[in-house]
Amino acid sequence: MGSLRGRMVKYEPMAKLGYVWCWPSSGLQGQPWAESPEEDSFARTSRRVTERYSETLEDLALEARRWSQKISPHAAEDASDAALVSVFHLPRREHVVHAHLPSRVVHMARQDRARLVLDVVDVAMRRIGARRGWDEEALDRPRQHALEHNLEFEMTGPWSSSATGDRRIRLVARVADDGWSDLCFEVADGASGPSLGFTQTVRSPLNNVQSFRDGVKAFRWADPVTVERPSGWSTYSGTSWPSVESFNIEDLRAWPAEREPAPHQSPMEIDVREETVSLR
């Protein structure tokens, strides 16, 4: 029987892919997220698309080097009217993805740009999947999931009853095309009654599932008809809230508005470049 003495046994644990996102995923309030308008508009729109796309990934059990895959948008360096997706396959089965975008991406209708984001993600993940041996048909599921939800994404928290039990509320956030969320409370009647409507909305930086989960239970009843939560734009710790957002649970409306359908086809041609990078 051979001896293992003197040999190096190398073990590289694999993860299951659970998240795809575009950099940057946030920015400073009132300022661009990225250097160029092309990067900025693409990254902001990507928030709602990649969050929805990622919802089904963990169920697919796709073996990957890391749990998440980043895609970096850039302004195109030439005058091409097509987008260019560059996929670099690195040693140890790492993958780097760049999306080079023509200037017209900035002026696209919101749903056309969202469809472009989805198609860029789909192209990149299929090239990575071909290298990693993923089932190609499995990647149809996150793409179709995003289209079935009209390339929109919203998050809802658990129900919480008022002290008297005559109302239930839960936090709701819909990621908008500028990358931030429209956030409000849904109000329902009693312990199991129907939904009565939604409070007024505020803009919020809670634009992904993890940040929403972290902040979903941070609210308090200021009085029987007013709910307060810490402002998402200010830093707070524990129960110390330097500023608050207030919501009147009697001033209700229908929300969210009717969604725009997702475009049936991509609004832009996408070219692909692949390169295998080796260490020397």
Side-chain angles (χ1 to χ4, degrees):
M1 183 175 181
S3 172
L4 292 178
R5 183 179 298 174
R7 300 182 189 178
M8 179 180 292
V9 180
K10 188 175 183 181
Y11 172 67
E12 294 186 356
M14 289 290 111
K16 300 299 182 185
L17 183 70
Y19 194 61
V20 177
W21 63 288
C22 295
W23 184 93
S25 59
S26 64
L28 297 176
Q29 185 181 16
Q31 297 185 31
W33 289 10
E35 292 183 359
S36 73
E38 293 86 352
E39 297 168 62
D40 186 68
S41 59
F42 188 90
R44 288 173 180 267
T45 295
S46 76
R47 283 283 71 234
R48 58 189 171 100
V49 179
T50 58
E51 288 293 317
R52 184 63 78 184
Y53 180 94
S54 297
E55 278 188 316
T56 65
L57 287 178
E58 290 190 344
D59 292 340
L60 302 181
L62 301 173
E63 187 179 89
R65 190 72 179 87
R66 302 181 185 279
W67 176 75
S68 67
Q69 175 64 52
K70 180 176 74 172
I71 298 175
S72 300
H74 308 276
E77 297 179 354
D78 55 32
S80 173
D81 198 43
L84 171 65
V85 175
S86 299
V87 183
F88 297 91
H89 305 290
L90 307 183
R92 299 178 63 192
R93 303 187 78 187
E94 300 267 10
H95 310 277
V96 174
V97 180
H98 298 278
H100 306 272
L101 308 163
S103 59
R104 71 184 179 97
V105 71
V106 178
H107 307 292
M108 281 181 164
R110 62 183 297 276
Q111 287 294 70
D112 283 341
R113 187 166 51 247
R115 178 59 194 257
L116 175 63
V117 171
L118 177 64
D119 291 339
V120 165
V121 170
D122 184 56
V123 165
M125 299 312 294
R126 290 183 187 278
R127 294 305 175 103
I128 292 173
R131 184 61 62 101
R132 302 198 68 90
W134 296 341
D135 179 3
E136 185 173 2
E137 290 187 1
L139 291 173
D140 293 340
R141 183 177 172 188
R143 177 181 177 276
Q144 188 60 30
H145 182 69
L147 289 172
E148 287 174 354
H149 287 83
N150 294 312
L151 306 174
E152 305 283 2
F153 186 71
E154 63 281 326
M155 302 167 281
T156 57
W159 289 103
S160 177
S161 296
S162 64
T164 60
D166 62 337
R167 292 289 184 270
R168 289 177 296 134
I169 62 171
R170 65 176 177 178
L171 195 65
V172 181
R174 171 187 263 190
V175 181
D177 194 56
D178 65 358
W180 303 123
S181 285
D182 293 321
L183 182 145
C184 66
F185 282 92
E186 183 178 7
V187 181
D189 187 32
S192 58
S195 175
L196 300 175
F198 299 82
T199 66
Q200 82 280 8
T201 62
V202 298
R203 303 316 312 281
S204 170
L206 301 183
N207 65 2
N208 61 79
V209 170
Q210 188 56 57
S211 65
F212 184 80
R213 285 175 179 167
D214 291 343
V216 71
K217 294 183 179 180
F219 65 86
R220 65 192 178 199
W221 292 87
D223 58 50
V225 298
T226 307
V227 178
E228 294 179 341
R229 59 169 277 109
S231 172
W233 305 103
S234 61
T235 302
Y236 64 93
S237 176
T239 57
S240 176
W241 297 355
S243 60
V244 298
E245 298 161 342
S246 297
F247 303 83
N248 185 336
I249 69 167
E250 290 190 334
D251 180 18
L252 302 179
R253 65 217 67 202
W255 186 90
E258 185 176 350
R259 299 170 174 175
E260 300 175 56
H264 294 297
Q265 58 187 8
S266 180
M268 183 181 294
E269 182 180 347
I270 299 176
D271 298 327
V272 183
R273 178 180 66 195
E274 285 187 89
E275 182 177 336
T276 299
V277 180
S278 60
L279 293 179
R280 296 181 179 179

